[in-house]
Amino acid sequence: MTSITIDPSRSAGRFNHFWRASGFSPGQLLLEPEMRATLALVGATPGHGVEFLRPHYMLELVRATRTGHSLSYDWSLLDRAVDTMVEFGFRPFFELMGNPSGVFAGFTERNDILVWRDFVAELVRRFFERYGAEEVSKWYFETWNEPDLAWWKHGEDGFTNYYDACVAGIDAVDPTLRIGGPGTARTLSNMFKAFVAHCDSGTSCLTNDGPPRVDFISIHEKGVRMHLEDLTPDTVGICRREMLAVDYIRQHHPRLRNVPIINNECDPQVGWHDTHSWNATSYTPALMAKIIDQHQRLMIDEEKVPYDLLANDNGFLGTWGHRTQLTYFGPKSYTKAQSEWITDLSGLDAAQNVPLAFVKKPSLAIMELLGLLGQERLAVNADPILAPDDNGLGVIATRHDDGRLAVLIYNSVDAIRRSGETPIKLSLGKADGQYDYTVYQLAGDAAFAVWERLGAPASPTDEQLAQMRAAAEPVAIQSGVLESDLQLDLSIPLPSANLVLIEKRQQKASDAPVILSSERYTTPAGGTEMLLRWSSPASATAFTVSLSERREGPFQPHYQTLLAKAAIVPVDTKIKFATVTALTLSGQASEPALVEL
Ligand code: 8U8
């Protein structure tokens, strides 16, 4: 038995939710209906749990025409792609990556460098016009992805020239916008070293007045070595290798020591496209939670690293075993397009009503649990002392500014074949009144187990989809009222992630959700369903979605408790109306928001 004691009045400081990001390739996918549905679902994570999206090759969406010496650009496809991100509440982590109509030859000739600078300036000006300076100031601009691999063709000097042009282009519009890089794949690669040296003591080839600014330094470190069949991640190794970069900067470029650090591809395993069915289970999200906690403990707390953002590069489209947040069912195969970083966009508009269906994976559900954590971190004492990197059990205790408590408890070891249970006693002091609590859990194989039990259908029926989706949500394993001691006995499965929410009894129900949109999709089985999205005040922790044949009801619950602010509901000849109700932890329901399907 491990006793875990948390004093809600003892803050350990503000808690930056530094993991709110995902990525994928290529950016062209944003024009496809499958990615649109994906973003609608991922964007509904509570607490803006996935805020930044980092697609590769966005600039391939720009078409350029050369007339004499001047270039003109057609932005229409890029506009549509960025609009889709913004529509669903995302902020671009915008890689200045791609070659519009192949017009850019390189970054050696001064004229080519100037043309790229002007292109970047025009791009950013367009973003200002469309989304406003205030919104764009919250985005990140970054260099070409992984310039130390084959993605980049112009060498180290070409890269620093390119970076100078990117910075000068952005500065021409607004020198306060965030730009950085180099997003390198290999630990301390020559490209990484050349980039930081240039930003420390080089000279911008365009301004000749010293080095270009760098607002963050981004690197990629993942949990597994390169062999496809090496399934044992080395999660502490991610932080250890990131620290090599941090120490290198501290030692060789002390002027840059306070520049924020980002790992924007921090996946448990390299190779999004390799199918490992454990990606569909709770093994992956438990690892993700541990990796995030390791960054807090080992880098932010211990090494005082100005750690800014961590992204799992898991925004791709794929099936159960892929490193994605959702499982896709439908006729398309995206593996080739995503691997080759280019999508065939011909026929795009003709094919908007393609059959598709998505089921949430635990890797998205974990972002929901993490998104419900508070803004203040609380000190944790444990007996025996917690040693998550040895035995798997770890805790992130938090408080919201309004007093609600949220404690994440994970159990994860770097070994796929280990399982077990760890009993714990969680104590949060004395109750001064009535407190409501619920424990949400991600454990086991969730929707994937249902799919296997159904005979692993490649094209599930609508009824089968409903069964899988019901199993895809975090499970409320325990809830109730605490009146004297804020104390809970729990058994924490290995692997799992658990979120304990505790709050003082709220006297009133929260406001009704506000429906934001409803979109109709055709399922692979030919059925019709509606993707509903809503907003709601923070006092609501869960939502019930109910269906009826008539406006007046009666309404039957279809989803009892959802943490995300989106759901897919079936529409048939009979079901015509849905309601979304917000619930407080005590179970008080808001007024329903009604949608005609
Ligand atoms: C060959 C290789 C070595 C390496 O250390 O990292 C790589 C990363 C390598 C090849 C591609 C590569 O791409 C990144 O990682 C991918 C992945 O599947 O893990 C994708 O997540 C990324 O989009 C890509 O930038």
Side-chain angles (χ1 to χ4, degrees):
M1 162 78 74
T2 304
S3 291
I4 297 167
T5 312
I6 296 158
D7 178 352
S9 64
R10 259 188 65 210
S11 167
R14 295 301 283 176
F15 189 33
N16 176 22
H17 292 195
F18 57 83
W19 56 83
R20 305 176 320 280
S22 182
F24 62 90
S25 187
Q28 286 107 314
L29 289 181
L30 288 162
L31 304 180
E32 310 255 12
E34 288 81 1
M35 193 48 98
R36 189 177 166 77
T38 296
L39 294 204
L41 293 168
V42 175
T45 306
H48 218 169
V50 187
E51 177 175 350
F52 295 100
L53 269 189
R54 178 177 173 274
H56 302 327
Y57 285 116
M58 285 296 276
L59 298 179
E60 293 291 313
L61 286 162
V62 181
R63 286 159 299 181
T65 318
R66 192 184 283 280
T67 329
H69 280 299
S70 72
L71 285 171
S72 59
Y73 303 104
D74 175 349
W75 306 98
S76 53
L77 292 179
L78 181 73
D79 287 348
R80 275 172 58 187
V82 179
D83 282 358
T84 303
M85 287 201 220
V86 172
E87 177 183 349
F88 295 114
F90 293 98
R91 302 209 151 102
F93 196 111
F94 198 94
E95 293 170 5
L96 294 162
M97 178 180 194
N99 190 347
S101 306
V103 292
F104 290 94
F107 298 93
T108 339
E109 300 300 321
R110 186 169 172 84
N111 194 52
D112 291 342
I113 300 167
L114 288 172
V115 177
W116 183 265
R117 176 200 63 186
D118 294 344
F119 166 62
V120 170
E122 225 177 302
L123 171 80
V124 176
R125 235 172 257 126
R126 189 162 186 91
F127 288 155
F128 267 47
E129 279 159 24
R130 292 182 74 78
Y131 312 107
E134 159 88 17
E135 171 59 26
V136 179
S137 72
K138 299 185 176 122
W139 299 7
Y140 291 81
F141 291 90
E142 199 194 22
T143 50
W144 208 278
N145 181 53
E146 300 188 339
D148 52 347
L149 298 184
W151 313 75
W152 177 255
K153 313 272 181 219
H154 311 286
E156 286 166 29
D157 289 345
F159 189 69
T160 54
N161 290 346
Y162 150 87
Y163 184 65
D164 294 341
C166 292
V167 173
I170 286 183
D171 281 356
V173 185
D174 182 349
T176 67
L177 294 175
R178 279 190 281 205
I179 176 156
T184 36
R186 299 208 184 268
T187 314
L188 295 180
S189 59
N190 290 337
M191 183 63 92
F192 170 82
K193 291 179 178 171
F195 178 81
V196 288
H198 182 64
C199 295
D200 179 16
S201 52
T203 302
S204 163
C205 70
L206 288 180
T207 57
N208 279 322
D209 61 352
R213 71 192 166 95
V214 63
D215 300 317
F216 61 87
I217 293 172
S218 53
I219 51 174
H220 299 168
E221 292 293 351
K222 310 202 186 204
V224 165
R225 296 171 288 272
M226 280 310 293
H227 200 286
L228 174 62
E229 288 170 292
D230 177 2
L231 293 184
T232 307
D234 171 14
T235 54
V236 167
I238 297 177
C239 288
R240 202 180 50 239
R241 279 177 276 119
E242 286 177 24
M243 275 315 295
L244 293 177
V246 170
D247 285 337
Y248 179 86
I249 293 164
R250 287 177 175 175
Q251 198 181 340
H252 298 276
H253 303 290
R255 197 178 73 80
L256 303 181
R257 62 181 300 126
N258 296 322
V259 176
I261 297 291
I262 289 177
N263 178 354
N264 44 19
E265 290 196 19
C266 185
D267 304 294
Q269 184 165 24
V270 76
W272 71 269
H273 52 277
D274 296 328
T275 46
H276 299 296
S277 37
W278 47 259
N279 267 323
T281 74
S282 299
Y283 178 65
T284 300
L287 280 176
M288 288 162 68
K290 181 170 68 167
I291 291 169
I292 286 164
D293 184 45
Q294 283 166 339
H295 279 76
Q296 179 69 48
R297 287 184 285 111
L298 306 177
M299 303 209 43
I300 303 173
D301 294 347
E302 265 174 42
E303 301 283 353
K304 307 283 175 265
V305 176
Y307 206 86
D308 190 37
L309 199 70
L310 176 160
N312 279 272
D313 201 35
N314 62 357
F316 291 83
L317 297 171
T319 58
W320 295 113
H322 288 129
R323 198 182 65 213
T324 63
Q325 304 184 86
L326 298 157
T327 292
Y328 162 68
F329 292 101
K332 294 193 196 167
S333 167
Y334 278 107
T335 313
K336 186 164 180 288
Q338 293 175 131
S339 303
E340 293 177 358
W341 319 316
I342 206 88
T343 306
D344 178 9
L345 293 177
S346 59
L348 189 67
D349 290 310
Q352 286 295 320
N353 195 26
V354 289
L356 60 86
F358 285 97
V359 178
K360 186 186 296 182
K361 285 195 206 174
S363 331
L364 177 53
I366 186 67
M367 301 312 276
E368 297 174 7
L369 300 192
L370 290 163
L372 289 167
L373 289 174
Q375 299 83 24
E376 201 80 26
R377 208 151 54 90
L378 302 173
V380 177
N381 287 306
D383 181 20
I385 229 159
L386 293 176
D389 306 330
D390 299 329
N391 62 28
L393 183 71
V395 176
I396 304 176
T398 69
R399 189 181 65 211
H400 285 262
D401 289 338
D402 61 11
R404 290 174 299 136
L405 302 174
V407 182
L408 187 91
I409 306 166
Y410 63 83
N411 203 354
S412 164
V413 294
D414 294 357
I416 191 169
R417 285 179 202 80
R418 270 179 56 195
S419 58
E421 294 259 335
T422 308
I424 67 161
K425 184 181 282 297
L426 179 68
S427 310
L428 291 123
K430 293 269 173 225
D432 55 338
Q434 279 195 322
Y435 281 74
D436 295 296
Y437 79 93
T438 302
V439 184
Y440 288 97
Q441 183 171 81
L442 297 175
D445 295 353
F448 181 59
V450 174
W451 179 74
E452 287 203 302
R453 226 178 298 127
L454 290 168
S459 185
T461 64
D462 294 352
E463 169 52 29
Q464 290 173 331
L465 280 175
Q467 285 181 42
M468 287 188 270
R469 289 191 185 127
E473 299 302 324
V475 183
I477 53 159
Q478 204 172 309
S479 65
V481 185
L482 300 169
E483 310 221 36
S484 48
D485 293 317
L486 299 178
Q487 206 166 80
L488 293 172
D489 287 302
L490 298 168
S491 184
I492 308 298
L494 171 70
S496 74
N498 308 264
L499 182 71
V500 182
L501 297 177
I502 303 183
E503 70 182 28
K504 199 158 184 183
R505 172 64 52 90
Q506 288 187 38
Q507 293 311 332
K508 60 183 192 62
S510 63
D511 292 340
V514 175
I515 303 294
L516 297 176
S517 67
S518 55
E519 269 182 40
R520 204 172 267 272
Y521 289 98
T522 302
T523 66
T528 304
E529 45 189 27
M530 201 76 113
L531 197 167
L532 305 177
R533 294 191 310 125
W534 58 88
S535 64
S536 106
S539 53
T541 33
F543 306 93
T544 298
V545 178
S546 306
L547 303 175
S548 176
E549 297 174 16
R550 284 186 307 274
R551 186 181 289 273
E552 331 66 78
F555 283 87
Q556 291 299 325
H558 188 73
Y559 292 101
Q560 210 50 269
T561 48
L562 293 175
L563 299 178
K565 297 172 196 183
I568 298 169
V569 297
V571 182
D572 60 25
T573 45
K574 290 210 230 96
I575 301 293
K576 289 281 186 292
F577 295 92
T579 55
V580 182
T581 312
L583 302 171
T584 60
L585 268 194
S586 65
Q588 290 194 78
S590 71
E591 289 296 316
L594 181 80
V595 204
E596 185 162 355
L597 300 173

